[in-house]
Amino acid sequence: MADTYVLVHGAWHTGDTLQATAEHLRARGHTVHCPTLPGNRAGDGTAPLGLQDAIDGLVQFLASNDLREVRLVGHSYGGMLLSGAADRVPERIRRLVYVNAFVPLPGEALCDMAPPHYRAMFEGLAAAGGGGVQLPFEVWRECFINDADADLARSTYALLHPQPLRCLTDPIALSQPTAALALGKSYLNCREDTALPHSLPWHPRLSERLGLFRYVEAGGSHEALFTDPEGFARGIERAGRD
């Protein structure tokens, strides 16, 4: 059955970084959109943009394209945007799919769910970068794309954009926990993901915040969208179907 997917990128990424994954889903008959949201467009890194701007951008994308019955897929930071959009326009969404993604409670920021040293690192990088946070290559190589060879790690790092600090530190405004929404929910967990340390895992620590949800596993690191886009797409499809 053909479904409509909207793939929501993570921090430092753009919609273009998900195009390889999207092509595998399209080859399987699905309609796929990959928007680049406020905070992740060229030049946004030092702009006075925050989490709410990005959520507003996603809500506006769904409305302006009159998208309904959507399988809304969020990778990493994209989980913040999923929860924010689902709180406002649940009528447009068929299922939420969190892919190694943050699942915030009302009033919580992404940094509240990350290791404490991440906040200190982000704030220091933003102070040195005019308000934008560029992920250090060493963190990218060892923690985010640990299943890649050195050449792929370098070439993909060159695609990343600085992220406005407030996207990572602003608390989210939700009317209720995402678990309370009467929507289908799934969590896709890539088994080699070490972007968060395994002492503070994506699953079950964050996934269980969805309440009733479907759990799906895939291979690869946090950046399986680069290292295995076909397998990443298969995992998304398994998580997204009814």
Side-chain angles (χ1 to χ4, degrees):
M1 179 179 176
D3 296 313
T4 298
Y5 286 83
V6 175
L7 306 185
V8 180
H9 57 74
W12 305 291
H13 293 58
T14 65
D16 287 346
T17 59
L18 286 162
Q19 285 296 340
T21 300
E23 285 305 313
H24 286 291
L25 287 168
R26 290 174 185 135
R28 299 169 76 86
H30 304 298
T31 298
V32 187
H33 301 269
C34 301
T36 298
L37 298 169
N40 292 75
R41 296 164 183 164
D44 280 358
T46 56
L49 295 167
L51 179 63
Q52 193 58 53
D53 297 297
I55 293 169
D56 289 347
L58 178 55
V59 171
Q60 290 164 11
F61 180 84
L62 296 175
S64 63
N65 290 279
D66 195 25
L67 296 177
R68 299 180 184 276
E69 295 292 302
V70 165
R71 320 284 165 156
L72 193 60
V73 181
H75 176 236
S76 194
Y77 154 76
M80 303 291 294
L81 312 188
L82 255 64
S83 288
D87 192 65
R88 287 172 53 185
V89 289
E91 69 277 5
R92 293 188 177 276
I93 299 166
R94 178 76 177 191
R95 178 171 285 270
L96 297 170
V97 180
Y98 292 75
V99 185
N100 289 97
F102 293 94
V103 183
L105 299 174
E108 197 167 35
L110 181 151
C111 276
D112 295 329
M113 292 172 274
H117 70 273
Y118 270 38
R119 179 186 286 271
M121 177 178 69
F122 294 156
E123 290 176 346
L125 291 167
V133 178
Q134 180 61 288
L135 190 70
F137 176 74
E138 294 77 13
V139 177
W140 172 255
R141 177 69 185 104
E142 302 300 343
C143 300
F144 281 67
I145 198 163
N146 42 293
D147 59 339
D149 63 27
D151 288 343
L152 183 60
R154 292 190 190 95
S155 64
T156 52
Y157 182 73
L159 302 175
L160 304 183
H161 290 255
Q163 188 78 32
L165 176 65
R166 285 181 46 216
C167 293
L168 309 175
T169 58
D170 283 354
I172 194 169
L174 298 175
S175 65
Q176 59 186 332
T178 303
L181 294 173
L183 292 172
K185 307 175 194 78
S186 297
Y187 204 94
L188 173 60
N189 184 37
C190 294
R191 289 184 294 270
E192 295 173 68
D193 190 327
T194 58
L196 288 183
H198 285 181
S199 59
L200 291 171
W202 299 101
H203 170 77
R205 180 179 67 106
L206 298 178
S207 59
E208 289 183 348
R209 292 178 167 197
L210 295 174
L212 180 64
F213 74 101
R214 180 187 309 155
Y215 178 69
V216 176
E217 287 190 350
S221 68
H222 195 67
E223 299 298 329
L225 64 154
F226 290 127
T227 60
D228 183 15
E230 183 176 7
F232 197 61
R234 287 198 304 269
I236 288 171
E237 187 182 45
R238 288 172 56 212
R241 64 194 177 195
D242 290 334

